[in-house]
Amino acid sequence: MRIWLAAAFMSLGGTFAAIPCESLAAQALPLTFADAADLSLQAPVVAHVRIARASRLKPAEAIGVGPGRTRYYVEADVVSLIRGAQGLPARISYLADMANDAAGRAVKLRKKDEFLIFADRQGTTGSEVRLVATDAQVPYTAAGADRVRAILREATARDAAPRIAGIGRAFHVPGSLPGESETQIFLMAADGRPVSLNVLRRPGETPRWAVSLSEIVDESATAPRPDTLLWYRLACSLPQSLPPQSLAEADPATAPAIQADYQLIKMSLGPCTRSRPAR
């Protein structure tokens, strides 16, 4: 079972080291919605696990570990499987590269500590997994697990919001009354689905924008709610300003209005806040 995970250091005659120091849960940063979505959408396997045994590798045995990090060989019991089409056995093993604490000391993975892991299966039995990122083992909380489940439910729905690959053309049409206008900005979805952002301005009213996921603009469509998959797709993908090519077919006189409406959308979405680097 351990051949794939342990070969890199067992071939060196290494031994497992005891783990001193501070608990990982005490120094870990909480995941933001964007962090959780990044990991959840990337990982074929998401599980709630309980540590059975964690052993720290010596530096000479932890090949490729970056500075300020420590590698562990972890055996964990699966408490619940959140995502994983092929299932998992009751106990799994994996390598985890964990950031040291502020004093440069290795953190401690204690027996019975509980985590959410985001991983991929290795081999045919599924007892060995590989984390999808060096920080893809995070302290378990019920709220965090519920957030991951909600993201995955949205991602597997038939009408799931697609990944945004770029911005297409943008157009602006003034209305018949002063202060009335409509802007339409087309987005490029990874699955080829038509996606557009629409901003409507009317005299004496607050500007209203909506996102459409079909060729026909739904008059009842609204802006996405924060901390939803559609919000994440937009807030974490759209650039700070429209690229010049998006205005290539627009009337030059309307370009400032299009840019202003795009900024209205960006401000409404708010920042895509992360506590970890996007990968």
Side-chain angles (χ1 to χ4, degrees):
M1 179 186 299
R2 300 183 188 175
I3 293 176
W4 172 80
L5 291 168
F9 60 91
M10 291 300 288
S11 63
L12 300 175
T15 58
F16 293 114
I19 306 175
C21 314
E22 180 181 345
S23 166
L24 171 65
Q27 60 88 48
L29 291 174
L31 292 182
T32 67
F33 184 89
D35 293 329
D38 289 342
L39 289 168
S40 301
L41 299 176
Q42 182 184 359
V45 172
V46 182
H48 170 197
V49 303
R50 182 180 295 118
I51 300 297
R53 181 171 181 253
S55 305
R56 192 178 80 203
L57 276 64
K58 295 179 179 179
E61 300 162 344
I63 301 171
V65 177
R69 306 188 74 85
T70 301
R71 178 167 292 173
Y72 299 85
Y73 174 77
V74 179
E75 294 176 81
D77 296 322
V78 177
V79 179
S80 65
L81 182 63
I82 297 174
R83 182 183 198 183
Q86 299 177 345
L88 285 178
R91 179 166 290 188
I92 58 173
S93 54
Y94 54 91
L95 296 177
D97 293 354
M98 311 308 301
N100 297 337
D101 66 16
R105 300 170 303 185
V107 296
K108 184 174 183 179
L109 298 180
R110 296 189 178 95
K111 184 177 181 179
K112 295 189 178 180
D113 277 352
E114 297 185 11
F115 295 89
L116 285 176
I117 64 166
F118 302 83
D120 198 356
R121 291 167 57 98
Q122 299 294 311
T124 58
T125 66
S127 59
E128 296 170 359
V129 300
R130 185 197 300 267
L131 299 182
V132 297
T134 57
D135 57 352
Q137 173 184 262
V138 299
Y140 172 84
T141 65
D146 288 344
R147 169 174 276 182
V148 168
R149 290 188 182 95
I151 291 169
L152 293 175
R153 279 196 301 270
E154 284 197 78
T156 55
R158 291 185 59 187
D159 59 349
R163 182 172 61 85
I164 304 302
I167 300 183
R169 303 303 189 195
F171 302 92
H172 179 83
V173 179
S176 56
L177 299 175
E180 185 180 56
S181 67
E182 184 173 1
T183 293
Q184 190 168 30
I185 302 169
F186 293 94
L187 305 182
M188 293 178 284
D191 63 0
R193 201 185 325 174
V195 180
S196 64
L197 306 176
N198 307 281
V199 181
L200 182 64
R201 294 179 183 267
R202 288 177 175 158
E205 297 182 11
T206 301
R208 183 171 63 88
W209 77 277
V211 56
S212 175
L213 300 179
S214 67
E215 293 181 351
I216 301 174
V217 177
D218 185 355
E219 294 294 332
S220 64
T222 60
R225 290 182 293 105
D227 291 358
T228 60
L229 183 62
L230 181 54
W231 172 88
Y232 165 80
R233 294 298 196 195
L234 297 175
C236 300
S237 300
L238 296 180
Q240 288 303 310
S241 59
L242 281 175
Q245 60 268 27
S246 296
L247 302 172
E249 296 179 18
D251 183 340
T254 65
I258 295 174
Q259 291 284 13
D261 283 345
Y262 182 77
Q263 290 307 312
L264 170 72
I265 293 170
K266 289 288 293 180
M267 289 181 62
S268 174
L269 288 169
C272 173
T273 304
R274 290 182 167 101
S275 64
R276 59 185 296 275
R279 296 177 176 87

